């Protein structure tokens, strides 16, 4: 394992265990990480040269408020690029507040130069378009939320 992998592993442990500081020493190598800010990483090389690097640390899990949305979702059946309209100069298929019916085309996901029309599996009202035009989407990505 190289030094970068070691530092990344320590940073992950620091966050997962919600620690404020973590230190490790192995031979001539010393590494110390601190949480809640850009974590100072310091170590001494085998030649005795001190080195300091600042590595950002992700906030603790309880500091990240999950966004939970209630509703029915139209999800991408394929990996590709999301488009809300049939062409750049055309109106979007749907927008927030529009009623949709099962089988209605609601957007396009382009994959391998093929424009795939995505249809709704549900009747409902569009509450929110969850992705932006031109955004890459993965299989199962929530595209549109219905009330």
């Amino acid at each position: 394992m190289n030094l970068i992998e070691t530092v990344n592993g320590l940073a992950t442990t620091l966050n997962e265990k919600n620690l404020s500081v973590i230190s490790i020493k192995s031979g001539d190598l010393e590494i110390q990480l601190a949480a809640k800010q850009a974590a100072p990483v310091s170590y001494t090389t085998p030649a005795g040269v001190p080195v300091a690097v600042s590595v950002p640390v992700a906030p603790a899990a309880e500091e990240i408020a999950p966004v939970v949305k209630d509703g029915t979702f139209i999800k991408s059946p394929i990996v590709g690029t999301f488009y809300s309209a049939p062409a750049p100069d055309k109106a979007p298929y749907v927008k927030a507040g529009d009623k949709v019916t099962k089988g209605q085309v609601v957007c396009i996901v382009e994959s391998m130069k093929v424009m795939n029309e995505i249809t709704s599996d549900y009747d409902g009202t569009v509450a929110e378009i969850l992705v932006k035009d031109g955004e890459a989407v993965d299989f199962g990505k929530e595209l549109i939320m219905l009330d």
Side-chain angles (χ1 to χ4, degrees):
M1 185 177 335
N2 67 33
L3 181 61
I4 299 300
E5 291 170 338
T6 301
V7 171
N8 286 337
L10 290 172
T12 299
T13 301
L14 183 79
N15 288 328
E16 288 176 352
K17 303 293 184 186
N18 199 22
L19 301 173
S20 57
V21 176
I22 190 168
S23 298
I24 186 169
K25 182 175 182 173
S26 177
D28 292 333
L29 179 67
E30 284 185 50
I31 299 174
Q32 182 177 20
L33 299 174
K36 302 282 186 193
Q37 57 190 357
V41 177
S42 59
Y43 62 93
T44 304
T45 66
V49 178
V51 180
V53 179
S54 187
V55 177
V57 176
E62 64 270 4
E63 294 176 7
I64 300 172
V67 177
V68 178
K69 296 182 183 251
D70 292 328
T72 303
F73 297 94
I74 299 171
K75 299 178 181 181
S76 180
I78 56 176
V79 174
T81 304
F82 173 85
Y83 295 105
S84 62
D89 60 336
K90 302 288 183 188
Y93 287 105
V94 295
K95 58 187 181 308
D98 288 353
K99 300 264 188 223
V100 297
T101 58
K102 185 175 180 174
Q104 178 181 344
V105 175
V106 294
C107 64
I108 290 174
V109 174
E110 177 189 6
S111 181
M112 298 178 63
K113 307 281 185 203
V114 175
M115 299 297 188
N116 300 280
E117 292 183 334
I118 308 304
T119 59
S120 177
D121 291 333
Y122 315 97
D123 292 335
T125 303
V126 176
E128 185 177 356
I129 309 293
L130 303 170
V131 293
K132 294 181 172 118
D133 250 5
E135 184 176 330
V137 296
D138 289 328
F139 172 80
K141 169 81 172 167
E142 295 170 342
L143 305 174
I144 299 171
M145 183 174 74
L146 304 177
D147 282 335

